[in-house]
Amino acid sequence: MKTKTRILSRIGWFLALLAMLIPARSAFAQADPRVPAVLMGGFILIACIIFLVMYVYVALALQTIATKTNTENAWLAWIPVVNIILMCNIAKKPVWWIILCLIPLVNIVIFVMLWMGIAEARGKPNWWGILMIVPVVSLIVPGYLAWSD
């Protein structure tokens, strides 16, 4: 019975994929030059929405971390580039590290060291900062440091 359900499920997914691809094929077959522009505009819109959601998530997490560590001006988490100053204050690193954060490749090491300091300020092991290198885990680390006890 499970195999029959699995086969029907796969057929359903295949038919849904076909239902999406067949209209797209006819749209590309037309000589209308606006179709690729509309598709690219849709892609850019979705990318901007994802970026905005991630920015709000990290800013909210950084503001929460600053509040829990009694760091002044927690609202700086919402201002791009200035939030690096807030990260330096939380991690108790010199503010001139913001210059190092603007140098390519060096900034990776500096941000890992900043997140290690932030983890220590929250009372967590500093290896949580090293996890910021891992792509999917780097989405979890700010939330864990902000909202865990």
Side-chain angles (χ1 to χ4, degrees), residues 61-79:
L62 195 57
Q63 183 180 14
T64 305
I65 291 170
T67 303
K68 287 186 176 184
T69 58
N70 296 324
T71 305
E72 294 180 3
N73 301 325
W75 55 270
L76 290 176
W78 294 96
I79 304 173

Side-chain angles (χ1 to χ4, degrees), residues 28-52:
F28 281 116
Q30 297 173 357
D32 191 2
R34 296 176 292 179
V35 172
V38 169
L39 290 176
M40 186 54 105
F43 175 75
I44 290 173
L45 178 66
I46 291 171
C48 286
I49 290 171
I50 291 172
F51 174 77
L52 183 66

Side-chain angles (χ1 to χ4, degrees), residues 22 40 45 49 56 58-59 68 93 95 102 110 117 122 143 149:
I22 289 174
M40 186 54 105
L45 178 66
I49 290 171
V56 167
V58 172
K68 287 186 176 184
K93 304 292 183 195
V95 178
L102 301 175
I110 295 301
R122 283 287 293 132
D149 291 331

Side-chain angles (χ1 to χ4, degrees), residues 115 119 124-132 137 140-141 144-145:
W115 280 105
K124 307 292 182 207
N126 62 358
W127 55 264
W128 276 96
I130 298 172
L131 289 178
M132 289 300 286
V137 178
I140 299 168
V141 171
Y144 173 75
L145 292 176

Side-chain angles (χ1 to χ4, degrees), residues 2-148:
K2 288 183 181 181
T3 57
K4 184 177 179 181
T5 306
R6 188 177 307 141
I7 291 171
L8 288 175
S9 175
R10 288 182 183 165
I11 291 172
W13 279 107
F14 179 72
L15 291 176
L17 180 64
L18 278 179
M20 290 174 45
L21 291 180
I22 289 174
R25 187 190 67 130
S26 63
F28 281 116
Q30 297 173 357
D32 191 2
R34 296 176 292 179
V35 172
V38 169
L39 290 176
M40 186 54 105
F43 175 75
I44 290 173
L45 178 66
I46 291 171
C48 286
I49 290 171
I50 291 172
F51 174 77
L52 183 66
V53 167
M54 290 309 304
Y55 186 79
V56 167
Y57 166 71
V58 172
L60 190 60
L62 195 57
Q63 183 180 14
T64 305
I65 291 170
T67 303
K68 287 186 176 184
T69 58
N70 296 324
T71 305
E72 294 180 3
N73 301 325
W75 55 270
L76 290 176
W78 294 96
I79 304 173
V81 182
V82 178
N83 60 8
I84 301 171
I85 295 173
L86 180 63
M87 291 173 66
C88 290
N89 289 338
I90 295 170
K92 296 178 179 53
K93 304 292 183 195
V95 178
W96 61 266
W97 274 29
I98 193 169
I99 297 169
L100 297 175
C101 291
L102 301 175
I103 301 171
L105 299 179
V106 174
N107 62 357
I108 297 170
V109 175
I110 295 301
F111 276 117
V112 166
M113 292 174 67
L114 282 174
W115 280 105
M116 288 172 68
I118 291 170
E120 288 177 353
R122 283 287 293 132
K124 307 292 182 207
N126 62 358
W127 55 264
W128 276 96
I130 298 172
L131 289 178
M132 289 300 286
I133 296 173
V134 182
V136 177
V137 178
S138 65
L139 301 174
I140 299 168
V141 171
Y144 173 75
L145 292 176
W147 295 295
S148 68

